Amino acid sequence: DGANRIAEKVQIKTWQKIAKHFTDLLMIVLMVAAALKAVTGDYVESGIILLVVIINGIVGYWQERKAEESLDGLKQMMGQEAVVIVEGLQQTVAAESIVQGDLVSLKAGDVVPADMRLIENHGLVVEESILTGESEPVKKTEHVITENSIIGDQKNMVFSGTLVQSGSAIGVVVATGDETEIGKINQALQSVKSQETPLVKKMHQLNKQIFRGIVALILFLIFFTAFRYGLELNVLFSSVIALIVAMVPEGLPAVLTMILSMGVKEMADQQAIIKTMPSVETLGAMTVICSDKTGTLTKNEMTVVDTVTVTEKEQALMYDIMANCQDLKQDSSQRAADLQGNPTERALLQFVETQELPLQQVAAKIPFSSTYKYMATLHPLQEDQSILYVKGAPEVLLNKSQLSEDQVSYWQQAASELAQKGQRVLGFAYKTVPASSQVAHEEVTDLVFIGLAGIIDPPKDSAIKAVRESLQAGIRVKMITGDHKETAQAIGEQVGLKHTKKVLEGLDIDQMTDEELAQQVNHVDVFARTTPEHKLRIVTALQNNGEIVGMTGDGVNDAPALKKADIGIAMGIKGSEVSKQAADMVLADDNFHTIANAVKEGRRIFDNLKKTINFFLPTALAQGLIVIFALLLNRPLPLTPVQILWVNMVTTITLSYALGFEKASKDVMDRPPRPVNEGILSMYSMFRIVYVSLPPPPPPPPP
């Protein structure tokens, strides 16, 4: 099957990257004009025209130069060494040498070297956020799973590139290299073609319009002047070249580059780092933002948001259980924010930190396990008494507590209400026991159930504001997450998404054709339990519907969709290196609200670009008309190509550059995104260009 490494894509050579900037339609026209000048012996003018082409090409290459680094980021995530079991003995080997069928031993701190199915498990907990995007570590099992499951639910599998947080296990390798889940992400990433930005598309359309106009005028002049005046070939040659040089706005690429670079600097000051200049304008054209949930719309920190108790005394006791029935905090001076480990315990400790509760002595402990779903700690109370603190799944603790049917019904209803909000629900109970008691599972009975806590990764306030502003600007927001349906739906409602009643899960998407998905994506704003392939399909379906799609994300699993989107937006602080490399823009502050500010800046820039183009083209057309009138009247050319280039490259650039500094109009975020098929030049713009280009009427005679 080959070495256990992901395949590399053949990189485009540097000369090919440079050459593509000289294949622009108008640049080809100028190169033809330079060649014709050289044929007629005007080497100085030919050289000047060619120099203008070279300068424009170099500027274009320099501002778009970006190495394809995504593969390197993925390669760094794969393990370098692995411990395999051969004839009962452990051997350390290079991860690249692993093949299917190998038995691999895992322990805390290991990077999983390949996709493996577990056959022996001792409390293995794995951090899989690079694949699923979810911060909650996954407790693994060796039991067989028979139903069809997505990556996040395959509890008996571990995947290449993920990190073992605690425990140990032995697994059999089932996939290596490109066949692993991270290898499939790499294949998707390499197969996705970078999207051509709306600005580049519109500039190509504009170039074609200018080219058609030049060709039409040249043909007219050749036939008219040849038949009317019988001009000599070299005179006609010079006139045609002068017309080409006059009509082609050579300075426009330079001005566009300067205005876009100003936009890049402005956005950098607002914590939005733009990697390719045309992406600045794409932000202003965006019609849909697809956002990851964890770390983008939410804080990526589990937080206690609701508690349910009956009395204040029980609440105080529940705080004691939160502070002491745990593994993370060993000293009262430790701050919860500095602790590493289980996110749920960190959330509980952070919640009670303001209470300044002392750490109690722990006489014995039953650590948490997904098998029995609770944790218990024993603490000395008096000389002859101790107290047993228990936290865990509410349904388990309720079965082990002394409660009437009405009390059980009350707590079940309360737990259900918290779960419907998308919260992970924990129950808390205690029991007073003799000091001589030992902690054993048999002792965890006849408990006193005292309360519930609801834990969730809550939405950021800035994200709620940004969603509101985006909707006001006519930009729809869709949330795509690997989290469970209920949690995703609850967060969607809290941040203010429009269509949250229906949630599409990854398994639902698998059953749909591309056409069916394209119909559904318009009416669904929440997608749950998704894989990298699902995210890519959703973005593609939106683009097939004619949308300009922005995609935000921070995990490796987001990288293919980030690259496919018209504008990929990665998180700068908590984002993976791979996601940053695949994206067009990086949010230095991980703040979703920064996107709304960037959209405003993108719309301002496009407005100013249109003003610049509407200034440039009348100048070019007016120069062309001078040449045309001279030929029609059989007069000498009033301007040489070099003089025309001077006007275009120096005078016009300096005057039009000022338009790039104009501020955004007041209604820039109250109007919908411009139509996708709208060109830079409207019919009204064309009328104004022609009108302004014509000579003014003669002044009235003096009285």
Side-chain angles (χ1 to χ4, degrees), residues 90-382:
Q90 292 190 351
Q91 296 181 14
T92 300
V93 299
E96 283 193 358
S97 68
I98 289 176
V99 296
Q100 289 186 41
D102 276 348
L103 288 179
V104 177
S105 175
L106 297 173
K107 64 182 186 303
D110 286 350
V111 175
V112 180
D115 287 5
M116 299 187 292
R117 181 170 286 110
L118 299 181
I119 58 174
E120 186 178 309
N121 176 39
H122 303 284
L124 192 74
V125 178
V126 181
E127 172 63 61
E128 293 184 343
S129 61
I130 66 163
L131 289 177
T132 64
E134 301 309 313
S135 56
E136 188 79 15
V138 181
K139 298 177 179 66
K140 294 295 181 177
T141 176
E142 71 278 15
H143 303 302
V144 174
I145 297 173
T146 55
E147 66 272 13
N148 189 19
S149 304
I150 64 168
I151 293 174
D153 293 332
Q154 293 175 18
K155 300 296 177 65
N156 63 346
M157 289 284 296
V158 289
F159 302 100
S160 178
T162 58
L163 178 66
V164 178
Q165 195 177 84
S166 61
S168 61
I170 296 174
V172 60
V173 175
V174 296
T176 59
D178 285 339
E179 297 304 313
T180 62
E181 292 301 326
I182 202 168
K184 291 174 184 176
I185 290 176
N186 172 63
Q187 288 179 310
L189 193 60
Q190 303 302 333
S191 65
V192 171
K193 293 182 180 178
S194 298
Q195 297 297 301
E196 194 175 52
T197 67
L199 177 62
V200 173
K201 290 178 184 176
K202 288 176 172 55
M203 289 307 297
H204 286 166
Q205 292 171 2
L206 180 63
N207 289 349
K208 288 177 183 177
Q209 290 172 327
I210 295 172
F211 178 73
R212 292 191 193 105
I214 292 172
V215 170
L217 286 172
I218 289 173
L219 292 175
F220 169 75
L221 286 175
I222 289 174
F223 284 103
F224 182 87
T225 56
F227 285 117
R228 178 80 181 269
Y229 302 112
L231 290 177
E232 296 178 9
L233 192 60
N234 63 334
V235 176
L236 193 60
F237 241 32
S238 296
S239 302
V240 168
I241 292 169
L243 179 62
I244 291 173
V245 173
M247 294 287 289
V248 174
E250 298 89 355
L252 188 56
V255 172
L256 295 183
T257 299
M258 286 187 283
I259 292 176
L260 289 172
S261 64
M262 280 196 308
V264 168
K265 183 182 182 303
E266 186 72 25
M267 288 188 182
D269 293 340
Q270 298 179 25
Q271 304 300 308
I273 311 302
I274 303 292
K275 294 170 66 178
T276 54
M277 286 196 202
S279 301
V280 176
E281 183 276 334
T282 308
L283 284 159
M286 195 160 49
T287 59
V288 177
I289 301 176
C290 295
S291 176
D292 186 31
K293 175 184 73 70
T294 307
T296 307
L297 294 175
T298 64
K299 297 178 179 179
N300 198 17
E301 294 176 358
M302 299 302 288
T303 305
V304 178
V305 290
D306 279 318
T307 58
V308 182
T309 53
V310 177
T311 66
E312 289 186 8
K313 181 181 178 182
E314 289 179 340
Q315 187 176 53
L317 192 52
M318 186 168 76
Y319 288 169
D320 272 333
I321 299 174
M322 289 181 180
N324 291 283
C325 188
Q326 49 86 23
D327 288 317
L328 296 185
K329 192 171 182 177
Q330 305 300 321
D331 188 282
S332 296
S333 62
Q334 289 179 293
R335 294 177 65 252
D338 299 330
L339 299 174
Q340 300 294 323
N342 189 295
T344 300
E345 286 197 353
R346 281 185 62 196
L348 296 175
L349 290 169
Q350 204 147 10
F351 180 69
V352 298
E353 194 164 51
T354 56
Q355 305 293 322
E356 297 183 353
L357 300 171
L359 282 179
Q360 299 180 19
Q361 180 186 342
V362 180
K365 180 189 298 183
I366 299 177
F368 180 85
S369 169
S370 56
T371 306
Y372 43 84
K373 295 183 179 180
Y374 64 81
M375 176 181 184
T377 53
L378 185 67
H379 307 272
L381 193 61
Q382 298 172 357

Side-chain angles (χ1 to χ4, degrees), residues 35-92:
L36 292 175
K37 269 293 179 186
V39 169
T40 59
D42 291 332
Y43 298 113
V44 174
E45 291 189 358
S46 173
I48 292 173
I49 295 172
L50 202 57
L51 182 62
V52 169
V53 173
I54 292 171
I55 290 171
N56 274 326
I58 291 174
V59 168
Y61 167 70
W62 188 258
Q63 61 103 350
E64 285 189 356
R65 186 169 59 94
K66 182 180 71 169
E68 286 286 336
E69 299 166 332
S70 304
L71 177 64
D72 295 332
L74 280 170
K75 287 167 68 177
Q76 291 169 11
M77 304 195 74
M78 300 186 73
Q80 302 300 309
E81 292 184 333
V83 177
V84 297
I85 300 175
V86 181
E87 296 181 356
L89 300 176
Q90 292 190 351
Q91 296 181 14
T92 300

Side-chain angles (χ1 to χ4, degrees), residues 150 504-511 527-531 534:
I150 64 168
L504 275 185
E505 294 188 272
L507 293 176
D508 300 326
I509 297 173
D510 288 334
Q511 307 302 317
F527 301 85
R529 305 306 280 165
T530 57
T531 64
H534 295 141

Side-chain angles (χ1 to χ4, degrees), residues 396-458:
V396 174
L397 268 57
L398 288 172
N399 286 334
K400 293 178 175 291
S401 299
Q402 296 176 319
L403 296 169
S404 66
E405 287 187 12
D406 288 345
Q407 288 174 317
V408 171
S409 178
Y410 168 79
W411 290 116
Q412 286 176 337
Q413 177 65 27
S416 176
E417 289 175 2
L418 296 181
Q420 286 173 7
K421 297 179 183 178
Q423 298 175 14
R424 182 184 177 192
V425 186
L426 280 179
F428 298 85
Y430 75 97
K431 178 184 179 182
T432 304
V433 296
S436 58
S437 296
Q438 299 296 316
V439 172
H441 292 292
E442 294 76 19
E443 290 287 335
V444 187
T445 56
D446 298 328
L447 302 175
V448 180
F449 194 90
I450 58 170
L452 300 167
I455 302 174
I456 199 171
D457 181 11

Side-chain angles (χ1 to χ4, degrees), residues 195-203 205 281-282 284-288 474 476 542-549 566 606 672-680:
Q195 297 297 301
E196 194 175 52
T197 67
L199 177 62
V200 173
K201 290 178 184 176
K202 288 176 172 55
M203 289 307 297
Q205 292 171 2
E281 183 276 334
T282 308
M286 195 160 49
T287 59
V288 177
R476 290 175 293 155
L542 287 165
Q543 289 175 329
N544 290 341
N545 288 343
E547 307 286 355
I548 302 296
V549 183
D566 296 283
F606 184 73
R674 62 182 179 276
V676 177
N677 56 358
E678 179 187 284
I680 290 180

